[in-house]
Amino acid sequence: MAAERKENVVLFPFMGQGHIIPFLALALHIEREKGYSVTFINTPLNISKLRSSLPPNSSIRLLEIPFTSSDHGLPPNSENTDVLPYHLVVRLLRASTSLKPAFKKLLQDLIHQHHGHRPLCVIVDIFFGWTINVAKELGLFHAVFSGCSGFGLACYYSLWLNLPHRKVDSLEFSLPDFEEASTIHISQLPKNILEADGKDPWATYLQENLSAWVDSDGILFNTVEDFDRLGMLYFRRKLDRPVWPIGPVLLSSESRSSIGKETLVTPELCREWLNSKPTNSVLYVSFGSMNTISTSQMMQLALALEGCGKNFIWVVRPPIGFDINSEFKANEWLPEGFEDRMKGSSRGLLIPKWASQVEILSHRAVSAFLSHCGWNSTLEALSHGVPLLGWPMAAEQFFNVKLLEEEMGVCVEVARGKSCEFRHEELVGKIQLVMDDTEKGNEMRRKASEVSEMTKNAMKNENGVKGSSIRAIDNLFDAAARQMENTEGRQS
Ligand SMILES: *[C@@H]1O[C@H](CO)[C@@H](O)[C@H](O)[C@H]1NC(C)=O
Ligand SMILES: *[C@@H]1O[C@H](CO)[C@@H](O)[C@H](O)[C@H]1NC(C)=O
Ligand SMILES: *[C@@H]1O[C@H](CO)[C@@H](O)[C@H](O)[C@H]1NC(C)=O
Ligand SMILES: *[C@@H]1O[C@H](CO)[C@@H](O)[C@H](O)[C@H]1NC(C)=O
């Protein structure tokens, strides 16, 4: 009976922190905005970890899909990219297709438990093209959710499908189906794309599973139409499918901290420190929870922070080659006496491991953000109108910086890649360019605050006035409901 049934939405991310966290944010968003029940599928170890980090008032249902990593040539109990060395990540990716029969069975059981009432829609990871057939066989509405920007993913998608760098001799080239993105430089390619020849395990997997999207019912992006138009244009043209920009969908800091690492500098201490600083005087430096830099880069960065004369907060992690979760040794990895001098002058605050990022970015004292430009950190900065100094390190971060710098004018790239050589004098110049009262700096601040307005407007939902991102999620579920009526009508 229609009145009694609550629509169920099934979510299934790839097993990596960078995928699970945006899906969790989406799950909480759907629960809160639409009141639907949400079923979240993942492998057992990831589910047990998630169980302890869901907010207590959430009714999201966590469902285990059986998976034994050692059956796939992976170390025991490794169900997540974060616990794997780089060369095994593609093996986990390829092993995901073995979940197909179990995925089908889980969906059939769900339908059975709901007395034949099918989930309204199944939303899967960008890497899970293989789920489309399963959904179609069961007559379910299928959508792909990308936690990346539209622009960033468009470059990534086009690169994998075309491997354009293999076809030219030059260091720069354009994308054959995405001319709007202008040129890409070879130094902007993530390692696996750079090395791809079309026959390697990454390329064979992604070329099939990404191009399978043409059979999905649509693509959702954690982004805002107004500043990510080119990316939306690319996928609408390429796939001839609906594309729904529904962002920014972010975790609140409460749910974030329970998933993140423990903090050593408390949020209160950090707030007091920021309160004592003038408006727009602090540079915030963090490379996300999964990245770090080399020892020599860390030295140069410290010299730049000291040399630029600005206040700063720096979230520090052990450099490449050391366990990223081990203790931070300032006297080994930073210039002699650096920590004491910064403490003494109260000019810099070093935060080991993890900081309450949203709180920092929303503080009036913060003026700019030196970031790896992962999309989640970027959205947090854009929401609060904070301009960026970009140091992309992996995946589609290179193209996020391209979007932010060339299209949006809210970012200056300061370094590129994990192994780049970079000098403190250059960074000092760029920090001053962005933070000082320069023409460029003022222009960036003006644009960043425009983008922050766009972001707020997109998520507006008051007195019947809905922003573009709220309308997009309504449109997604309307399309799913229409399709369900059609198939149920046909079957009865
Ligand atoms: C987003 O950023 C937070 C730090 O603010 C981090 O804990 C989390 O893992 C990030 N999520 C993704 C998807 O990278
Ligand atoms: C996923 O599983 C791994 C074990 O392979 C675990 O270490 C990790 O914390 C889990 N991640 C999440 C987000 O649950
Ligand atoms: C859970 O609590 C948070 C914080 O109080 C609130 O924002 C959210 O809407 C609540 N979610 C549900 C599903 O009630
Ligand atoms: C996804 O990739 C795997 C491994 O290459 C392949 O077996 C599978 O058919 C692909 N799925 C789709 C839908 O292309």
Side-chain angles (χ1 to χ4, degrees):
M1 283 194 339
E4 275 174 19
R5 68 193 203 194
K6 198 171 175 188
E7 302 299 353
N8 187 15
V9 176
V10 176
L11 302 189
F12 186 18
F14 177 52
M15 299 82 86
Q17 204 78 342
H19 296 248
I20 291 176
I21 291 180
F23 266 80
L24 185 58
L26 177 65
L28 292 165
H29 182 68
I30 292 173
E31 183 181 45
R32 196 175 51 231
E33 288 290 322
K34 308 297 290 187
Y36 297 156
S37 62
V38 176
T39 304
F40 198 102
I41 299 182
N42 223 268
T43 56
L45 290 176
N46 286 303
I47 288 291
S48 72
K49 187 68 181 288
L50 279 168
R51 186 158 282 135
S52 58
S53 55
L54 274 185
N57 65 348
S58 164
S59 60
I60 293 170
R61 178 171 174 211
L62 298 171
L63 209 55
E64 284 180 11
I65 189 162
F67 180 73
T68 308
S69 57
S70 49
D71 292 351
H72 303 275
L74 295 164
N77 301 325
S78 35
E79 296 183 3
N80 194 296
T81 55
D82 305 6
V83 298
L84 289 173
Y86 174 76
H87 71 280
L88 290 180
V89 169
V90 69
R91 202 172 288 177
L92 180 65
L93 186 64
R94 298 185 74 96
S96 74
T97 57
S98 74
L99 299 171
K100 194 169 177 176
F103 182 58
K104 184 167 184 185
K105 172 133 196 329
L106 281 185
L107 292 174
Q108 285 169 324
D109 290 349
L110 266 180
I111 295 169
H112 184 71
Q113 285 158 18
H114 289 82
H115 313 288
H117 180 54
R118 284 173 296 175
L120 178 60
C121 98
V122 176
I123 303 177
V124 305
D125 198 272
I126 59 168
F127 287 156
F128 286 175
W130 56 264
T131 56
I132 297 171
N133 279 342
V134 179
K136 296 290 124 177
E137 281 163 27
L138 300 174
L140 300 176
F141 189 91
H142 180 283
V144 173
F145 172 59
S146 160
C148 311
S149 66
F151 185 90
L153 194 63
C155 294
Y156 187 86
Y157 192 98
S158 172
L159 282 165
W160 275 116
L161 264 50
N162 300 301
L163 299 177
H165 58 297
R166 288 275 160 191
K167 296 169 188 142
V168 294
D169 287 329
S170 56
L171 295 177
E172 284 196 321
F173 44 86
S174 57
L175 299 169
D177 54 0
F178 195 28
E179 301 277 343
E180 295 86 350
S182 76
T183 55
I184 301 225
H185 190 270
I186 197 107
S187 60
Q188 288 174 303
L189 298 186
K191 185 173 153 69
N192 54 0
I193 297 183
L194 185 65
E195 291 169 354
D197 61 8
K199 297 188 188 71
D200 58 287
W202 276 103
T204 50
Y205 183 92
L206 289 176
Q207 288 187 339
E208 288 178 41
N209 282 272
L210 294 180
S211 44
W213 294 7
V214 294
D215 296 319
S216 179
D217 294 304
I219 322 293
L220 285 84
F221 282 93
N222 192 7
T223 196
V224 175
E225 178 94 41
D226 273 350
F227 61 70
D228 203 0
R229 282 186 192 285
L230 286 181
M232 301 303 106
L233 169 96
Y234 175 81
F235 285 107
R236 286 180 183 132
R237 184 173 66 201
K238 186 83 189 166
L239 302 171
D240 194 20
R241 303 272 87 194
V243 170
W244 296 289
I246 59 157
V249 173
L250 295 164
L251 286 184
S252 67
S253 36
E254 304 96 75
S255 30
R256 174 78 52 76
S257 54
S258 53
I259 304 168
K261 324 252 153 69
E262 75 274 30
T263 50
L264 293 181
V265 173
T266 63
E268 292 71 39
L269 199 137
C270 183
R271 196 179 311 138
E272 266 170 40
W273 189 91
L274 281 168
N275 286 343
S276 75
K277 301 294 175 220
T279 299
N280 275 340
S281 72
V282 177
L283 175 65
Y284 172 54
V285 183
S286 171
F287 301 118
S289 46
M290 275 131 58
N291 296 293
T292 187
I293 54 183
S294 72
T295 322
S296 68
Q297 290 169 338
M298 199 169 277
M299 280 289 173
Q300 292 294 317
L301 177 54
L303 291 174
L305 292 175
E306 186 156 18
C308 72
K310 306 289 180 198
N311 297 319
F312 65 87
I313 292 181
W314 182 7
V315 180
V316 287
R317 296 212 175 71
I320 294 173
F322 296 87
D323 175 3
I324 195 164
N325 293 314
S326 64
E327 195 191 333
F328 188 82
K329 299 184 180 130
N331 49 8
E332 266 179 47
W333 298 322
L334 298 178
E336 207 181 326
F338 178 82
E339 197 181 20
D340 291 338
R341 286 195 299 281
M342 294 306 110
K343 240 183 223 154
S345 61
S346 179
R347 198 153 77 58
L349 183 63
L350 299 186
I351 305 187
K353 286 195 175 161
W354 188 87
S356 180
Q357 177 154 303
V358 172
E359 196 173 335
I360 294 173
L361 287 169
S362 59
H363 199 284
R364 54 151 190 90
V366 171
S367 149
F369 180 16
L370 172 52
S371 167
H372 67 307
C373 294
W375 193 237
N376 143 39
S377 288
T378 301
L379 285 173
E380 290 173 349
L382 297 179
S383 301
H384 295 102
V386 177
L388 294 129
L389 292 137
W391 183 348
M393 301 194 178
E396 84 322 335
Q397 292 155 19
F398 302 96
F399 318 122
N400 292 342
V401 169
K402 195 171 160 62
L403 168 70
L404 294 164
E405 183 163 4
E406 295 172 13
E407 302 297 325
M408 296 169 68
V410 296
C411 178
V412 168
E413 190 177 42
V414 299
R416 185 181 284 174
K418 285 193 175 147
S419 54
C420 70
E421 196 171 325
F422 106 112
R423 301 183 43 77
H424 63 96
E425 296 90 341
E426 268 172 52
L427 182 56
V428 167
K430 288 183 176 167
I431 292 173
Q432 286 165 347
L433 178 71
V434 174
M435 290 181 72
D436 284 349
D437 186 17
T438 63
E439 199 179 319
K440 175 80 180 169
N442 292 331
E443 177 74 0
M444 282 175 73
R445 268 182 291 282
R446 191 179 61 70
K447 289 195 167 151
S449 77
E450 277 174 20
V451 169
S452 152
E453 277 307 302
M454 287 176 187
T455 306
K456 289 198 189 89
N457 288 335
M459 294 304 269
K460 195 166 272 172
N461 193 358
E462 290 165 357
N463 312 323
V465 180
K466 294 185 172 186
S468 57
S469 290
I470 302 293
R471 289 198 308 272
I473 204 156
D474 285 351
N475 292 342
L476 154 74
F477 289 120
D478 288 348
R482 272 198 306 277
Q483 180 176 308
M484 184 183 272
E485 277 165 27
N486 288 342
T487 39
E488 291 194 340
R490 242 184 284 136
Q491 280 173 357
S492 59

